[in-house]
Amino acid sequence: MARSAQLIIIDPDPQSREEVRRMLALAGFAVLGTAAYGTEAFTLCQETQPDVVLMSLAEPTGRALQTMEAVVRLLPVSGLIVYSHLSDHDIVRRAMQLGARDYLVRPLKQDKVVAAIESVRRLLEEQPRIVPPEMADRPVVPFGTIITIFGPKGGVGKTTIVTNVAAALAMQTKVPVAVVDLDIRFGDVATFYDLPVEHSIVDLGAHSGPVGLDTVRQYMARHPSGVDVLPAPRWKGEWYPLTPDHVAGALSALARAYDFVLVDTPGGYNDLLSQALEMSTVALLVTTADVPSVKDVLMTLEILRSWSYPQERVQLVLNYPNPAIRVTEAEVRRALGTVPRWQIPFDKAMAKSIQDGRPLVMERPRSRAARALCQLAYYLAGQSSQMRRSFLSRLMPARGTKVAAR
């Protein structure tokens, strides 16, 4: 009798991974392991060499497709079956172009999953996979998700979003998370995290030779949330010899060791921001709802289109940093042509958390803005909304538990 197919599951949502694993176990398949996207998936593929890979395609799709491409090249003789809530023709076609042998739309049915596995296994025996030359020529390295947070001007809340989303990602996903402060003139990531600045990103400018991970890490600091920070310099009054090549080297090195690399940027545009955007899996464009900011963000979107920048990478985030900005959903739609999926409401607790140097998602996790920031972090991690309650419960003490004064 033929050996049962050996499988692995790649899915960023722990709850979804477990549901699929149970389904396969009940069907009699050997599940060698499960993993999230990025470096975790890379390691599992190398260690197991399975017959078939079942992989979720979750939003943001850039991170999923990036992992999918690496899996296909790491496991050229394995079959890839993709499952997803997404059924758009373009995304299905993209998955098949990258090497998926089948595409299943959720909710998953056990009989259909079993049929797909058996079909893919037979197909591989008859017709082994051929990796396209353009994919085979690139080195296979683990690569995390680079998320650049940018905007056409300062004061819209980029640093607030970076520091809170990074902390939420680190605490929820339990994977390595890094923050890079590219605002070398006015960067405040270290201040928002209450971290001393002994070294900074501009030290890379004085480094001769290739910028590797060991080089970058000696200039980083660890925040209690688990986030590693490459800060901006403490003294802002000098000219610093930091180039796009330094930025590219640093981001490449960090993305090989961290599952998420969040990049805070200055208002406006410069060569460093352009380099970060070019390397990004996701780009969060932050604006406020006042008329000048909306005008600027519309112009930014036009500029990105003129650069042929992939529109699927860009996510618009509407931030309300003060209570004076009060607009209706209809007014937002009229101004932007859409209602941004991500909106961070005004929260009076935010100012205190910044003063304390402690992210709002840690200081006041049940506040309105903290909940919105956690939802954004879940989206970036590809995790389902059902996980949000468990995240908040882990951050909050149980009833009756006394919290020591700080």
Side-chain angles (χ1 to χ4, degrees), residues 4 46 61 130 137 153 168 203 216 232 262 284 289 332 353 356 358 380:
S4 175
Q46 285 189 318
T61 57
I130 299 175
D137 290 342
K153 66 177 186 179
D203 291 320
V216 178
L262 283 76
L284 300 182
V332 172
S353 78
D356 292 343
R358 184 173 165 84
L380 294 170

Side-chain angles (χ1 to χ4, degrees), residues 78-395:
S78 301
L80 175 64
I81 298 172
V82 173
Y83 59 92
S84 178
H85 289 290
L86 305 172
S87 57
D88 178 76
H89 175 73
D90 289 339
I91 195 65
V92 174
R93 182 175 60 181
R94 179 66 176 140
M96 302 304 282
Q97 287 174 338
L98 284 175
R101 294 288 189 165
D102 206 342
Y103 192 104
L104 305 175
V105 178
R106 303 191 77 156
L108 297 178
K109 302 295 184 182
Q110 186 182 79
D111 58 339
K112 291 186 177 181
V113 174
V114 171
I117 293 170
E118 297 298 346
S119 175
V120 166
R121 192 177 182 191
R122 286 195 302 270
L123 183 62
L124 287 172
E125 291 174 352
E126 299 167 2
Q127 184 182 356
R129 183 199 306 279
I130 299 175
V131 180
E134 65 272 16
M135 291 171 62
D137 290 342
R138 292 198 295 272
V140 184
V141 294
F143 210 79
T145 299
I146 298 176
I147 304 167
T148 295
I149 294 84
F150 73 114
K153 66 177 186 179
V156 295
K158 296 189 299 293
T159 304
T160 298
I161 291 170
V162 168
T163 50
N164 278 275
V165 169
L169 282 170
M171 292 184 293
Q172 167 56 31
T173 64
K174 307 299 183 185
V175 299
V177 178
V179 170
V180 177
D181 195 343
L182 274 189
D183 190 352
I184 60 177
R185 292 294 180 190
F186 303 105
D188 283 323
V189 169
T191 301
F192 277 47
Y193 275 152
D194 193 26
L195 289 173
V197 178
E198 298 178 4
H199 300 286
S200 74
I201 188 171
V202 300
D203 291 320
L204 294 175
H207 179 76
S208 59
V211 177
L213 181 60
D214 290 340
T215 302
V216 178
R217 275 184 166 161
Q218 65 182 308
Y219 304 131
M220 301 182 78
R222 170 64 61 92
H223 183 260
S225 64
V227 176
D228 287 337
V229 179
L230 182 58
R234 179 174 49 190
W235 171 244
K236 316 290 186 179
E238 298 179 5
W239 179 82
Y240 299 108
L242 194 67
T243 68
D245 287 342
H246 292 123
V247 173
L251 294 182
S252 293
L254 291 172
R256 289 193 292 272
Y258 292 84
D259 281 77
F260 296 96
V261 181
L262 283 76
V263 184
D264 195 13
T265 60
Y269 303 95
N270 58 27
D271 291 342
L272 305 185
L273 170 59
S274 296
Q275 182 64 63
L277 285 174
E278 182 180 332
M279 300 180 67
S280 294
T281 312
V282 180
L284 300 182
L285 175 55
V286 183
T287 184
T288 52
D290 57 283
V291 173
S293 293
V294 170
K295 176 184 70 68
D296 289 343
V297 84
L298 290 173
M299 185 177 298
T300 299
L301 292 170
E302 284 298 321
I303 291 171
L304 292 174
R305 279 191 283 268
S306 72
W307 292 350
S308 298
Y309 191 78
Q311 295 300 297
E312 65 273 11
R313 294 187 194 176
V314 181
Q315 295 283 330
L316 192 59
V317 180
L318 184 59
N319 188 33
Y320 293 86
N322 67 71
I325 302 176
R326 295 184 179 180
V327 294
T328 65
E329 185 172 294
E331 289 172 322
V332 172
R333 185 184 298 278
R334 188 162 53 248
L336 293 174
T338 184
V339 177
R341 179 175 182 177
W342 306 112
Q343 300 187 36
I344 313 301
F346 169 74
D347 197 320
K348 62 183 181 181
M350 185 68 78
K352 184 177 185 302
S353 78
I354 294 172
Q355 286 293 108
D356 292 343
R358 184 173 165 84
L360 190 67
V361 296
M362 299 174 69
E363 185 84 357
R364 295 283 299 278
R366 294 189 186 276
S367 64
R368 294 178 63 212
R371 291 199 301 268
L373 289 160
C374 287
Q375 289 177 12
L376 177 54
Y378 275 101
Y379 168 77
L380 294 170
Q383 297 187 357
S384 66
S385 60
Q386 290 94 325
M387 298 292 293
R388 293 173 193 156
R389 290 182 183 176
S390 64
F391 176 39
L392 290 173
S393 66
R394 282 198 295 273
L395 291 179

Side-chain angles (χ1 to χ4, degrees), residues 67-82:
T67 301
M68 191 180 302
E69 181 177 342
V71 168
V72 170
R73 295 178 56 240
L74 273 168
L75 303 172
V77 298
S78 301
L80 175 64
I81 298 172
V82 173

